[in-house]
């Protein structure tokens, strides 16, 4: 019994002395609890909307004020007509347009009913569903408080219309996000493991003393995985289109060029990881934990970034998948061109150049 106690005591000391074990036991669960607790929310916040008020009477003003004072919505602009609604949604900032019909207040008083049109950007169906639900709820609440003796259904009848995803298919949201996740993990992980394998086998030293320059070694490592990842991306797009019915309304060539850019960025990130990792296990751990969880949570693929705490919103700006998901959703679902996604494209180009420069520098340091 005494020996068993000593053995257990030794195991406790062993656990407490190992910072990696302590990190896995306590650090990761606490971080996951805090992150998921703050990120996974079913409410909306600061959703940008536009209003086209054809009536401009007291009733429509009161309803608009009630919607804006709820804390869920921010008025982006007042529209003069409905011609530019699709272009407004293509820019990506406005998520809903509210259209009040002519003589709204007068019809409500005389005929007992009036119509309001709620138009949402359904390229993200979860957010669109929440936005419509919140707006309808606020309008119904207005009617109940203004006319407490009326019975349901309410006299203001919201007519709902969804842009870019009329059937509200969840595949429209998941396919672009899963595509970003798969390409990020496969590209970064494969290159990082490839180079750390060279280190473990001792063949990296042969490469470092060879006539090849650091940039040539990196290019030689990147090119095969780049071509294989492009083929992988093509298969994902094909399956998304043929099996899940996700349309490609924009330019297929632009979509593939943006995909190649993202793959190059992920491959360069993988090389950077490999220069820091000493073993294949470490490289895989960094790739899985350091990339998979942030890509799922902070890319806007599942959870709207606008609903997250400010700290996570700031951190999400350094996540490459955030920009790639925005780009491929815009091209595939909204049919936009480079003029609508040039900012995200420039950011991905900048990240790629940064990772290439740092990787080459680290290789030079090893050579010296």
């Amino acid at each position: 019994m005494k020996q068993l106690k000593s053995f257990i005591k030794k195991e406790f000391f062993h656990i407490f002395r190992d910072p990696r074990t302590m990190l896995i036991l306590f650090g990761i669960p606490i971080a996951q609890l805090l992150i998921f607790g703050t990120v996974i929310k079913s409410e909306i916040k600061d959703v940008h909307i536009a209003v086209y008020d054809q009536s401009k009477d007291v009733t429509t003003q009161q309803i608009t004020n009630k919607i804006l004072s709820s804390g869920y919505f921010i008025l982006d602009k007042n529209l003069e007509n409905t011609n530019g609604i699709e272009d407004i949604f293509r820019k990506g900032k406005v998520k809903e347009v509210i259209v009040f019909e002519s003589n709204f207040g007068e019809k409500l008083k005389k005929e007992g009913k009036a119509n309001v049109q709620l138009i949402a950007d359904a390229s993200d169906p979860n957010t669109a569903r929440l936005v419509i639900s919140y707006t309808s709820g606020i309008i119904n609440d207005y009617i109940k408080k203004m006319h407490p003796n009326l019975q349901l259904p309410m006299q203001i009848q919201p007519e709902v219309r969804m842009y870019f995803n009329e059937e509200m298919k969840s595949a429209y949201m998941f396919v672009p996000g899963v595509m970003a996740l798969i390409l990020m993990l496969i590209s970064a992980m494969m290159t990082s493991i490839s180079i750390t394998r060279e280190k473990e086998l001792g063949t990296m030293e042969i490469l470092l003393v060879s006539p090849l320059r650091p940039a040539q070694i990196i290019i030689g490592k990147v090119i095969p995985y780049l071509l294989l990842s492009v083929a992988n991306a093509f298969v994902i797009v094909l399956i998304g289109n043929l099996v899940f019915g996700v349309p490609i309304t924009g330019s297929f060539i632009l979509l593939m060029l943006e995909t190649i850019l993202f793959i190059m960025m992920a491959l360069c990130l993988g090389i950077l990881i490999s220069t820091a990792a000493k073993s294949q296990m470490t490289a895989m751990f960094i790739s899985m934990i350091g990339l998979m969880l942030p890509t799922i949570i902070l890319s806007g693929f599942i959870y709207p970034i606008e609903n997250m705490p400010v700290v996570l919103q700031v951190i999400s700006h350094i996540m490459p998948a955030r920009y790639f998901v925005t780009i491929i959703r815009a091209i595939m679902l909204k049919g936009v061109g480079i003029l609508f996604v040039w900012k995200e494209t420039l950011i991905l180009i900048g990240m790629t150049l940064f990772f290439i420069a740092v990787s080459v520098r680290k290789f030079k340091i090893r050579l010296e």
Side-chain angles (χ1 to χ4, degrees), residues 229-246:
S229 298
V230 169
N232 203 359
F234 183 78
V235 171
I236 293 172
V237 172
L238 200 64
I239 291 175
N241 183 254
L242 298 179
V243 177
F244 297 104
V246 180

Side-chain angles (χ1 to χ4, degrees), residues 13 46 62 120 131 168 209 226 251 256 333 344:
F13 281 129
D46 296 340
Q62 287 178 342
V131 166
M168 300 290 284
V209 297
L226 172 64
S251 167
M256 293 311 296
L333 304 180
E344 291 79 5

Side-chain angles (χ1 to χ4, degrees), residues 295-314:
T295 299
I296 292 174
I297 294 176
L298 300 177
S299 66
F301 147 43
I302 298 177
Y303 312 111
I305 294 173
E306 295 80 8
N307 294 358
M308 299 177 187
V310 176
V311 175
L312 293 181
Q313 289 186 37
V314 172

Side-chain angles (χ1 to χ4, degrees), residues 178-207:
V178 170
M179 182 175 169
L181 178 63
I182 291 174
L183 292 179
M184 171 63 88
L185 286 183
I186 289 180
S187 303
M189 191 186 304
M190 293 306 292
T191 45
S192 61
I193 290 176
S194 169
I195 293 182
T196 48
R197 187 192 302 123
E198 300 266 14
K199 289 182 185 176
E200 287 187 334
L201 296 176
T203 51
M204 177 54 71
E205 300 304 324
I206 299 174
L207 284 175

Side-chain angles (χ1 to χ4, degrees), residues 2-169:
K2 188 176 180 182
Q3 290 177 335
L4 178 60
K5 287 182 178 177
S6 299
F7 182 71
I8 294 173
K9 190 176 178 181
K10 189 271 293 180
E11 284 300 312
F12 270 114
F13 281 129
H14 177 72
I15 292 171
F16 292 144
R17 280 199 301 264
D18 186 4
R20 288 174 298 183
T21 305
M22 295 297 292
L23 178 66
I24 294 172
L25 282 175
F26 298 105
I28 292 179
I30 292 172
Q32 287 180 333
L33 182 63
L34 291 175
I35 291 172
F36 280 106
T38 53
V39 168
I40 301 177
K41 293 180 178 179
S42 59
E43 65 263 24
I44 57 175
K45 189 175 82 174
D46 296 340
V47 175
H48 287 255
I49 63 172
V51 176
Y52 177 34
D53 189 351
Q54 303 177 76
S55 181
K56 295 182 180 176
D57 54 38
V58 176
T59 305
T60 58
Q61 289 296 323
Q62 287 178 342
I63 294 175
T64 303
N65 291 336
K66 188 173 180 61
I67 290 172
L68 296 178
S69 63
S70 66
Y72 303 121
F73 300 97
I74 295 175
L75 180 63
D76 193 82
K77 61 176 68 176
N78 285 302
L79 303 180
E80 299 298 325
N81 54 59
T82 58
N83 295 334
I85 290 179
E86 195 164 324
D87 285 337
I88 291 172
F89 283 146
R90 283 198 174 103
K91 291 178 182 175
K93 190 175 181 182
V94 174
K95 300 298 181 185
E96 183 189 43
V97 174
I98 302 172
V99 181
F100 293 101
E101 67 172 340
S102 302
N103 304 317
F104 185 90
E106 190 177 337
K107 286 184 179 179
L108 192 62
K109 289 179 181 176
K110 289 183 178 178
E111 302 174 15
K113 63 178 182 180
N115 296 318
V116 58
Q117 195 174 19
L118 306 179
I119 307 171
D121 175 2
S123 58
D124 182 344
N126 283 349
T127 301
R129 199 175 287 115
L130 285 172
V131 166
I132 293 295
S133 174
Y134 272 59
T135 309
S136 301
I138 292 170
I139 292 174
N140 289 336
D141 184 63
Y142 168 80
I143 290 293
K144 287 175 70 176
K145 288 183 178 175
M146 293 298 294
H147 307 280
N149 297 325
L150 291 177
Q151 299 296 319
L152 293 174
M154 299 302 172
Q155 292 180 323
I156 295 180
Q157 299 173 339
E159 179 188 343
V160 178
R161 184 180 175 189
M162 298 292 181
Y163 267 62
F164 311 122
N165 184 6
E166 293 184 1
E167 298 177 6
M168 300 290 284
K169 291 182 178 178

